[in-house]
Amino acid sequence: MTIEAIPEKCLWNEIDVPDISHVVESGDCDEFDVLIIGAGYTGLWTAFYLHLNDPSLRIAIIEKNTVGFGASGRNGGWCSTIMPMSLDSIAHRYGREQAIALQNAMFATLDEIKYRTTALGIDCDFTQGGSIQVLRSVNQVERAASRIRNLRESGYGEDFYQLLDREESLNLVKMSKTCGGFLDVHSAVLHPKKLCLGLATAVRSQGTAIIENSPVLSYTPGQVQTRQHTYKAKVVLRTTEAFSSSFSQAQRSVIPLYSMMVATEPLSTAIRSEIGLDSRQSFNDGRNMVIYGQRTADNRLAFGGRGAPYHFGSKILPSFDFNQKVAQGLRSTLIELFPVLERTEFTHHWGGPLAAPRDWTFNISYDPLSGLGSAGGYVGDGVATSNLAGRTLADLVCERSTELTRLSCVNHFSKKWEIEPLRFVAVNSLTKMAMLADWKEDKTGRPASIINGIIDKISDA
Ligand SMILES: Cc1cc2nc3c(=O)[nH]c(=O)nc-3n(C[C@H](O)[C@H](O)[C@H](O)COP(=O)(O)OP(=O)(O)OC[C@H]3O[C@@H](n4cnc5c(N)ncnc54)[C@H](O)[C@@H]3O)c2cc1C
């Protein structure tokens, strides 16, 4: 049987886009107080909070493409309390108190995003229905039980995380092979592109200039160079995430990993009732390979996962944004989770690069002497984290000493990635090992502890 290709287009772009030109400024003013490179969530939130901290600041965001061109306009819409690194890894380096402070800051971030989007009138389909990881094997139940024990020891009770039995889990989402569930109570979902455009409109109305279609070629203290202009500012902030390695200041600090997505047609009421997700919980299962899904406000399932190859030399090309093999894999996985989707049409496929630092730990840094700063390295967890980073970066620039500026992610430095071809071999092996671990657990019913141990070793600081 020939399987039809899934149309290559991003679901999130199918909205009534407000005339973007109203957020485009000509480059006639070349001098600012703060220049931000990159108009994704991090750049936009940073500009927003800088203005709140000091309305007199003249701020400009310079974007090589258009607002939300990067991962911010293409992601899975999990606005979650999850961080890319584990609490244990933060505790190992900075102590348990710091780990808990950072996790608490993530919980507060969800409240902050809800508050700001509501106050700014940004209708981005934000729904805080929690996030459910369905546990579909004994191994997955055991891993979740151990995780919940750790969380309880760190002081997080039932009002934060819940271990569900089979029936409780099925009441929320009717996934095949359900043995139980792990519920993260505070997480939310949203429409990624609507958030980007709403934020862009908000910062524009604060007076921030957004200069689109202007790739930054290089930057130094006090100066940003595009092909057409030299812009000057006391403060220069880089928020370019997966694209960062093109700058000499950030070479080998992160690598671009591709995440891919598919979306279904809008589901009928009958199919929806066979699936559940009534509160629009984001969902995945407890496998080792990363997968993520949400029911959109117009009742489709948008579903994504890793598994696309890392490209030699950290290359980023438009052609890498689509991968029919991975898309078909995602389609089969979603049907495996929800067999009722067997005849459902898959209408969209897209993807994009995210940024992975060597120790999977995001970073917010600012040097008051040079006026240079940056934020990013969220791996696949940047939707909420970028708000925390933007608020923190704004406080650092305004020399405010706050709870945020004392978090361990501030001026945290990850070691650099290996040079090629080592990087290519190691990163692609990690992906293959995650797949192998899932295959082994599926076949034998036993935990793939040795493989997971190797994965942890390679991806560890
Ligand atoms: C397919 C996919 C699914 C994802 N799903 C989720 C999810 O469900 N939940 C979650 O939390 N995270 C998810 N992520 C990650 C999340 O989207 C990102 O971490 C987050 O959007 C990063 O925001 P950012 O503003 O830092 O970077 P970006 O959104 O990547 O923005 C960087 C901007 O910088 C611009 N830029 C780059 N180079 C230059 C230059 N030289 N000059 C000027 N501008 C430049 C780019 O054009 C881009 O607009 C996903 C990512 C992908 C790719």
Side-chain angles (χ1 to χ4, degrees):
M1 191 177 84
T2 43
I3 300 170
E4 272 184 35
I6 304 174
E8 296 181 347
K9 52 185 179 171
C10 177
L11 173 68
W12 311 127
N13 287 336
E14 296 193 0
I15 50 170
D16 290 335
V17 179
D19 183 6
I20 273 290
S21 60
H22 79 284
V23 295
V24 178
E25 282 279 300
S26 74
D28 51 7
C29 171
D30 293 345
E31 201 153 338
F32 296 89
D33 295 308
V34 184
L35 281 168
I36 299 171
I37 309 168
Y41 298 143
T42 309
L44 292 163
W45 280 122
T46 304
F48 176 78
Y49 290 109
L50 276 170
H51 177 84
L52 290 195
N53 282 354
D54 182 353
S56 74
L57 288 175
R58 293 165 308 151
I59 307 165
I61 306 178
I62 310 182
E63 164 59 46
K64 78 166 170 182
N65 206 291
T66 51
V67 167
F69 166 79
S72 300
R74 317 185 201 180
N75 61 72
W78 277 43
C79 184
S80 79
T81 62
I82 301 170
M83 295 186 284
M85 61 288 192
S86 67
L87 281 187
D88 279 349
S89 72
I90 310 167
H92 180 67
R93 191 147 173 190
Y94 294 106
R96 182 64 48 186
E97 232 173 78
Q98 277 287 356
I100 292 172
L102 194 51
Q103 185 61 68
N104 287 345
M106 287 302 298
F107 286 112
T109 294
L110 264 286
D111 296 339
E112 172 70 11
I113 294 173
K114 186 178 184 178
Y115 167 69
R116 291 294 171 193
T117 49
T118 309
L120 293 165
I122 299 176
D123 177 9
C124 58
D125 305 336
F126 181 96
T127 304
Q128 200 164 12
S131 181
I132 180 158
Q133 180 175 92
V134 178
L135 310 169
R136 299 174 67 242
S137 69
V138 176
N139 292 324
Q140 294 184 12
V141 172
E142 280 169 5
R143 272 202 291 271
S146 141
R147 195 172 152 206
I148 213 110
R149 274 195 299 278
N150 280 345
L151 290 165
R152 296 286 186 259
E153 277 167 21
S154 297
Y156 296 108
E158 292 266 316
D159 42 346
F160 290 96
Y161 302 102
Q162 293 169 13
L163 197 57
L164 309 178
D165 64 24
R166 182 171 180 275
E167 204 164 315
E168 289 166 330
S169 185
L170 285 168
N171 281 339
L172 301 183
V173 53
K174 295 174 187 59
M175 205 180 271
S176 67
K177 294 192 188 165
T178 297
C179 305
F182 178 95
L183 183 68
D184 169 349
V185 178
H186 291 262
S187 285
V189 287
L190 51 73
H191 186 300
K193 196 68 179 266
K194 286 186 185 174
L195 176 60
C196 275
L197 297 174
L199 281 177
T201 308
V203 300
R204 259 317 267 128
S205 69
Q206 289 176 328
T208 288
I210 300 182
I211 304 163
E212 294 185 300
N213 300 307
S214 299
V216 170
L217 303 178
S218 63
Y219 68 94
T220 49
Q223 193 163 302
V224 168
Q225 190 66 52
T226 66
R227 199 162 292 126
Q228 303 89 346
H229 288 281
T230 303
Y231 294 95
K232 294 202 182 302
K234 286 181 223 90
V235 173
V236 177
L237 307 175
R238 176 177 43 76
T239 59
T240 47
E241 197 58 345
F243 308 89
S244 299
S245 52
S246 68
F247 294 105
S248 61
Q249 287 91 342
Q251 266 169 12
R252 294 201 280 128
S253 64
V254 291
I255 52 163
L257 292 183
Y258 275 81
S259 202
M260 295 286 148
M261 295 201 65
V262 292
T264 67
E265 63 183 325
L267 304 178
S268 66
T269 315
I271 292 186
R272 261 171 53 207
S273 69
E274 292 274 319
I275 289 178
L277 299 172
D278 292 346
S279 306
R280 292 190 60 216
Q281 297 90 345
S282 58
F283 66 90
N284 63 6
D285 72 2
R287 73 186 63 202
N288 295 294
M289 181 58 97
V290 173
I291 55 168
Y292 48 91
Q294 70 151 298
R295 176 166 72 78
T296 62
D298 65 346
N299 293 316
R300 300 165 186 269
L301 290 187
F303 184 66
R306 305 264 171 81
Y310 160 78
H311 300 278
F312 192 87
S314 296
K315 201 170 238 168
I316 296 178
L317 285 178
S319 59
F320 300 160
D321 290 345
F322 308 99
N323 184 321
Q324 283 294 335
K325 191 166 164 235
V326 178
Q328 293 299 345
L330 288 170
R331 180 179 179 277
S332 316
T333 304
L334 194 59
I335 293 172
E336 179 212 327
L337 302 181
F338 302 115
V340 67
L341 295 175
E342 182 67 51
R343 291 175 189 283
T344 298
E345 199 182 331
F346 282 68
T347 52
H348 297 76
H349 161 51
W350 72 97
L354 46 83
R358 183 66 177 79
D359 60 359
W360 254 238
T361 301
F362 66 94
N363 166 253
I364 305 153
S365 68
Y366 180 65
D367 172 14
L369 288 180
S370 64
L372 295 184
S374 64
Y378 317 114
V379 195
D381 300 309
V383 174
T385 325
S386 54
N387 170 280
L388 177 66
R391 265 184 295 145
T392 308
L393 196 50
D395 280 354
L396 289 169
V397 169
C398 296
E399 295 185 30
R400 295 169 121 210
S401 173
T402 62
E403 272 182 20
L404 297 178
T405 61
R406 287 186 284 277
L407 291 172
S408 60
C409 51
V410 172
N411 293 327
H412 165 91
F413 289 102
S414 314
K415 76 177 183 196
K416 279 187 187 298
W417 279 96
E418 286 73 6
I419 50 167
E420 298 289 19
L422 218 60
R423 190 157 87 223
F424 179 80
V425 173
V427 178
N428 284 320
S429 308
L430 277 178
T431 309
K432 292 225 167 68
M433 273 193 272
M435 286 176 181
L436 182 66
D438 287 328
W439 179 84
K440 184 170 179 271
E441 290 191 354
D442 218 33
K443 282 276 169 273
T444 65
R446 290 194 304 275
S449 320
I450 296 176
I451 305 175
N452 284 326
I454 299 171
I455 295 175
D456 287 347
K457 265 257 159 331
I458 300 179
S459 53
D460 197 26

